[in-house]
């Protein structure tokens, strides 16, 4: 997973797919959040040499026909599920760029367009996927427990990758507990240290949410938008 992340040109993706309205995501907590710790979230830029080294260290080999798993004679084909372009053109553009970057890196990539609802119910919920491009709402108080906790891999939970990490579970619980800002910040720093050491998900970008209100509209007041659904 680390190699696949290093092979993606996410800086270019912010420009092409998001029109420059966003920033590269180096972790699972947005840099605009009070809980973000830059010191424990190192920058992850595109590095094809490091990506190749990560794969070879894991036992993969590269031949003329592409990358091979350890002791497998046929090259690996990655199936990438992306939302249908008519339903979500931005995520489709993201998926197209990911597929292009992985192809340039030496993989054979099969891009499959899926209705977003079917992607969630028939693939993510059931674990029937290799790689998928999705939107995840984190929020200003970034509770990652539903996304990564072991208990959330059961039916109804958001841990669709089936991650089971007891050490991470303890950090997730500590970060969501009530407490002073200082205590919670320390808990989130410890959590981000753990997250930096394991690429559980491949973060792409933190897009900006641009909202325009006409001067003739009465009633709305200016405030921060916690997540995408609140822009309405």
């Amino acid at each position: 997973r680390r190699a696949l992340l290093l092979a993606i040109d996410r800086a270019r993706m912010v420009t092409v797919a998001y029109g420059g309205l966003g920033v590269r995501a180096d972790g699972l907590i947005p840099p605009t959040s009070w809980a973000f710790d830059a010191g424990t979230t190192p920058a992850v830029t595109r590095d094809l040499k490091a990506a190749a080294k990560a794969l070879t260290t894991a036992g993969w080999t590269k031949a003329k026909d592409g990358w091979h798993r350890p002791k497998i004679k046929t090259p690996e084909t990655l199936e990438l599920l992306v939302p249908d372009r008519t339903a979500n053109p931005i995520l489709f553009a993201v998926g197209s760029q990911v597929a292009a970057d992985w192809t340039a890196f030496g993989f054979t990539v099969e891009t499959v367009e899926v209705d977003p609802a079917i992607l969630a119910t028939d693939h993510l919920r059931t674990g029937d996927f290799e790689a998928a491009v999705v939107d995840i709402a984190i929020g200003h108080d970034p509770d990652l427990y539903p996304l990564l906790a072991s208990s959330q891999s059961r039916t109804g939970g958001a841990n669709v990758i089936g991650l089971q990490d007891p050490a991470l579970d303890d950090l997730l619980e500590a970060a969501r507990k009530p407490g002073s800002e200082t205590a919670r910040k320390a808990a989130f720093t410890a959590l981000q240290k753990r997250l930096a050491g394991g690429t559980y998900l491949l973060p792409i970008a933190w897009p900006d949410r641009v909202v325009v209100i006409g001067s003739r509209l009465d009633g709305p007041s200016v405030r921060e938008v916690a997540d995408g659904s609140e822009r309405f």
Side-chain angles (χ1 to χ4, degrees):
R1 291 194 295 269
R2 179 77 174 178
L4 291 174
L5 179 62
L6 290 170
I8 303 173
D9 189 348
R10 291 173 297 135
R12 181 178 183 275
M13 191 174 296
V14 170
T15 301
V16 174
Y18 294 101
L21 299 175
V23 296
R24 185 188 68 227
D26 292 321
L28 297 180
I29 294 179
T32 53
S33 171
W34 64 269
F36 178 74
D37 188 333
T40 56
T41 307
V44 183
T45 58
R46 191 187 195 199
D47 189 334
L48 297 182
K49 288 185 178 180
K53 183 178 180 181
L55 276 183
T56 54
T57 300
W60 290 63
T61 56
K62 189 177 183 181
K64 291 183 179 180
D65 57 355
W67 284 98
H68 292 243
R69 288 178 179 267
K71 301 180 181 180
I72 301 298
K73 295 182 179 180
T74 55
E76 182 73 9
T77 297
L78 300 176
E79 183 182 77
L80 178 64
L81 303 183
V82 299
D84 180 87
R85 71 187 75 190
T86 58
N88 197 322
I90 293 179
L91 285 191
F92 174 78
V94 170
S96 299
Q97 182 63 53
V98 169
D101 287 343
W102 286 350
T103 300
F105 183 54
F107 278 100
T108 298
V109 183
E110 180 182 347
T111 304
V112 181
E113 287 186 63
V114 185
D115 179 276
I118 294 177
L119 174 60
T121 58
D122 293 7
H123 294 281
L124 297 182
R125 287 295 184 191
T126 62
D128 181 24
F129 70 99
E130 289 183 329
V133 176
V134 297
D135 254 334
I136 298 175
I138 300 296
H140 286 308
D141 198 299
D143 184 10
L144 299 178
Y145 186 91
L147 185 65
L148 299 174
S150 299
S151 64
Q152 301 305 297
S153 60
R154 305 188 186 100
T155 301
N159 182 359
V160 297
I161 61 175
L163 176 63
Q164 302 288 306
D165 185 343
L168 182 62
D169 289 342
D170 292 340
L171 295 171
L172 290 166
E173 290 185 11
R176 71 188 328 214
K177 284 182 179 179
S180 67
E181 182 176 342
T182 300
R184 293 200 68 206
K185 196 130 189 169
F188 270 105
T189 294
L191 173 60
Q192 287 167 89
K193 283 183 180 179
R194 181 75 178 185
L195 292 175
T199 310
Y200 304 110
L201 305 173
L202 309 186
I204 299 295
W206 298 111
D208 296 335
R209 302 291 186 182
V210 181
V211 179
V212 179
I213 300 176
S215 59
R216 295 175 297 169
L217 182 62
D218 293 329
S221 58
V222 177
R223 66 177 180 82
E224 288 187 336
V225 178
D227 61 61
S229 64
E230 288 193 6
R231 67 189 184 277
F232 299 114

